Amino acid sequence: MGVVAIVGRPNVGKSTLFNRLIQKREAIVEPTSGVTRDRHYGKANWGGVSFTVIDTGGYVANSEDIFQVEIDKQVELAIEQADVILFLVSVTDGVVAMDRDIMQLLRKERKPVLTVINKVDNHHMAQLSVEFYDMGIANYYNISSINGSGTGDLLDEVIKYLPNKEDTEDDKPKIAVVGRPNSGKSSFINTILGQDRYIVTNIAGTTRDSIESNYSKFGFDFKIVDTAGIRRKSKVKEDLEFYAVMRSIRTIEYSDICLLLVDATRGFEGQDKSIFWIAEKNNKGVVILVNKWDLMEKDTHLSKQIEETIKNQIKPFSNVPILFISVLEKQRILKALHSAIAVYENRNRRIHTKKLNEYLLPIIAKNPPPISKGKEIKIKFCMQLPTKYPQFIFFANLPQYIKEQYTRFLENKIRQAYNFEGVPVRIFFRKK
Ligand code: GDP
Ligand code: GDP
């Protein structure tokens, strides 16, 4: 767990490194292809430690005449979202003015920064990297994003900065409030916490890590997780979808359940969808709250219609609660919290292995995976893994031939018998 951000001027190799770190694993299975999600954000794994990688400059075209203001925004995003920042420079260009500017910005903050010299493809290049001592960088990592050399040592260092799972373990549910700018996140949090907690305190150098507020009222006992994303929103006007979406990464990463606020007057679109998939990818529980319902014609037909539209957009993970609320008129706020807690319970649901097999094996016997390459596929046994979120493992003679469609079939059967509403369900196959 944790977030790693890559910063650097255009052309130093950020997206090449990003792709190497995430190894493009997830891009294949994603049902919808939000640009933000697939190209600039991904999950990586090193030595069993999984973490999020952000390419902060991902959306900027490879042009050298990039404006300083864009660089500032990228660095700011990295500082705000990351546990550790990879500051990328290129050995082929040496130190250029823009590298120094970024360096200056990074030095103002207390976030750990690792300087990474990229394009060190061979021994000869490694000698050139000595020039970087000029920048006052005593410690740096020589890597080649293209051939992968040096990235192992770098990752060994990176994971030292990521939070230890044990440290952040807490028995209270952690709820994040996410959504596009203006969807009503701050209003929602202020309404439930009953005070203006979210007045911006944007003093340079102050800790920008996540804040947790306790909520124990009306029989609830949970924490609201927030990061700079919401608190500082009134200071920066985000025009770009890229930043708005990326701003929710850290909050999602540190939560169990995400309340995704959608502005009813705008409908469910690109940004909402991208944020939804970040939560899904991180195995978080999700409740969709269509807010500002007071501004809509009150008519059940309309809510059904909107619900259908959203479910269509979030396929195949459409088993998600969708509620229509008004923060302004304090309508269904408690209902939303109840729903969040129900989803939290679903996420913690553990199915007894014997019961699971008694239920699923007859279904599988009746509907076995289709024969592949003339071979019969037999599933012998299954169980839920003892993890924080639902994962099921199926043992089969030829697991490699089982298709995505059959995985969905099994997932649906599991969802029909057990309540996993609002929670992504993972299914794996192993050979036995
Ligand atoms: P970004 O603008 O910082 O995201 O940079 P890109 O990842 O798009 O890379 C810019 C150019 O540098 C591309 O032509 C890459 O193929 C090249 N590049 C990236 N990493 C390396 C490397 O390790 N060695 C070499 N020789 N070229 C690289
Ligand atoms: P954030 O950017 O997601 O934190 O959104 P804010 O909480 O700042 O809300 C954006 C605007 O929407 C503000 O003007 C709020 O007063 C307004 N707003 C929030 N919730 C509602 C609601 O339920 N109904 C209406 N009509 N306006 C709302």
Side-chain angles (χ1 to χ4, degrees):
M1 173 163 144
V3 183
V4 177
I6 307 172
V7 295
R9 65 186 162 81
N11 269 317
V12 290
K14 293 182 298 300
S15 72
T16 311
L17 176 61
F18 171 81
N19 285 327
R20 177 163 285 280
L21 296 183
I22 67 160
Q23 293 172 343
K24 288 196 177 165
R25 264 170 303 181
E26 61 275 328
I28 316 151
V29 288
E30 292 299 341
T32 42
S33 182
V35 169
T36 308
R37 184 166 45 85
D38 288 340
R39 303 219 335 250
H40 320 301
Y41 161 87
K43 298 296 278 188
N45 190 298
W46 184 249
V49 180
S50 108
F51 54 91
T52 291
V53 186
I54 308 174
D55 173 4
T56 61
Y59 81 96
V60 177
N62 273 345
S63 85
E64 292 291 350
D65 49 72
I66 173 181
F67 295 112
Q68 182 65 36
V69 60
E70 286 307 328
I71 289 286
D72 289 355
K73 280 187 178 179
Q74 287 171 31
V75 172
E76 183 149 25
L77 177 69
I79 288 166
E80 191 185 280
Q81 298 290 313
D83 294 293
V84 52
I85 297 167
L86 303 183
F87 168 42
L88 210 60
V89 292
S90 166
V91 75
T92 53
D93 302 329
V95 182
V96 307
M98 199 173 269
D99 292 331
R100 288 181 200 280
D101 293 344
I102 295 172
M103 185 85 180
Q104 282 295 315
L105 292 169
L106 290 173
R107 275 196 177 143
K108 279 197 229 152
E109 304 291 335
R110 289 185 295 196
K111 278 281 158 96
V113 176
L114 302 178
T115 303
V116 181
I117 305 177
N118 190 34
K119 310 197 187 181
V120 184
D121 301 338
N122 53 48
H123 186 67
H124 169 67
M125 295 305 225
Q127 285 168 349
L128 293 177
S129 71
V130 169
E131 180 196 342
F132 289 82
Y133 272 120
D134 288 357
M135 270 175 96
I137 303 160
N139 246 324
Y140 53 77
Y141 293 82
N142 281 339
I143 68 162
S144 167
S145 296
I146 279 197
N147 68 32
S149 74
T151 52
D153 286 348
L154 174 64
L155 287 170
D156 285 344
E157 188 64 19
V158 162
I159 59 174
K160 290 182 192 163
Y161 292 94
L162 302 179
N164 187 331
K165 255 207 178 111
E166 261 58 39
D167 295 348
T168 55
E169 213 79 49
D170 190 313
D171 45 358
K172 286 187 190 178
K174 292 194 174 83
I175 299 178
V177 180
V178 295
R180 68 188 319 156
N182 253 358
S183 55
K185 298 180 295 297
S186 320
S187 309
F188 183 89
I189 293 175
N190 285 334
T191 298
I192 66 167
L193 295 181
Q195 50 194 293
D196 277 342
R197 286 260 178 124
Y198 287 81
I199 292 169
V200 181
T201 50
N202 195 15
I203 305 150
T206 52
T207 276
R208 289 180 177 182
D209 280 328
S210 78
I211 285 184
E212 289 174 356
S213 308
N214 281 304
Y215 183 85
S216 41
K217 259 196 279 189
F218 308 116
F220 289 107
D221 194 13
F222 60 78
K223 286 180 164 182
I224 291 278
V225 194
D226 178 33
T227 65
I230 297 176
R231 271 171 284 133
R232 59 188 297 290
K233 65 121 198 173
S234 54
K235 281 263 170 155
V236 190
K237 202 177 161 323
E238 286 320 350
D239 35 355
L240 276 162
E241 156 163 1
F242 174 79
Y243 288 113
V245 171
M246 291 306 197
R247 288 242 132 84
S248 60
I249 287 176
R250 190 177 182 81
T251 325
I252 292 173
E253 183 95 9
Y254 283 86
S255 69
D256 300 310
I257 309 296
C258 299
L259 293 176
L260 172 57
L261 259 71
V262 176
D263 185 335
T265 63
R266 302 191 58 159
F268 189 87
E269 10 172 281
Q271 288 187 51
D272 306 292
K273 214 160 145 179
S274 294
I275 296 170
F276 178 85
W277 288 115
I278 291 174
E280 190 272 349
K281 185 170 277 178
N282 279 286
N283 302 298
K284 305 303 181 181
V286 184
V287 176
I288 295 177
L289 302 177
V290 181
N291 186 32
K292 309 195 187 180
W293 199 238
D294 55 285
L295 297 176
M296 308 293 276
E297 284 289 330
K298 291 199 180 52
D299 133 23
T300 41
H301 189 66
L302 180 63
S303 61
K304 279 270 162 291
Q305 207 178 319
I306 295 176
E307 187 174 333
E308 274 313 300
T309 313
I310 295 177
K311 293 215 162 176
N312 250 319
Q313 300 255 9
I314 59 175
K315 266 182 189 164
F317 175 38
S318 46
N319 184 207
V320 171
I322 300 174
L323 275 69
F324 297 83
I325 69 164
S326 166
V327 174
L328 196 72
E329 299 188 345
K330 295 193 169 49
Q331 271 181 359
R332 287 179 289 275
I333 303 290
L334 285 183
K335 203 171 170 214
L337 297 180
H338 276 296
S339 186
I341 297 304
V343 168
Y344 178 78
E345 281 160 9
N346 293 346
R347 192 166 179 257
N348 288 328
R349 194 173 305 289
R350 298 290 173 267
I351 314 300
H352 197 276
T353 303
K354 186 161 169 274
K355 294 236 168 77
L356 184 71
N357 281 278
E358 278 170 8
Y359 165 62
L360 280 177
L361 291 185
I363 292 173
I364 292 168
K366 238 178 136 182
N367 311 273
I371 289 170
S372 176
K373 308 214 163 82
K375 292 192 175 110
E376 202 180 328
I377 301 164
K378 290 199 194 95
I379 293 173
K380 297 162 184 172
F381 180 72
C382 59
M383 63 185 289
Q384 185 179 1
L385 297 173
T387 46
K388 268 198 109 174
Y389 53 88
Q391 306 194 77
F392 293 86
I393 188 156
F394 288 77
F395 295 96
N397 60 335
L398 296 163
Q400 67 274 31
Y401 293 137
I402 298 171
K403 301 251 159 56
E404 180 65 22
Q405 203 186 356
Y406 196 73
T407 308
R408 296 263 175 257
F409 167 75
L410 291 176
E411 180 184 334
N412 286 337
K413 289 297 166 194
I414 291 171
R415 287 187 189 276
Q416 278 168 23
Y418 307 105
N419 189 356
F420 285 112
E421 192 184 22
V423 186
V425 167
R426 304 291 175 212
I427 289 175
F428 302 98
F429 300 96
R430 288 285 178 279
K431 192 166 171 64
K432 188 143 196 179

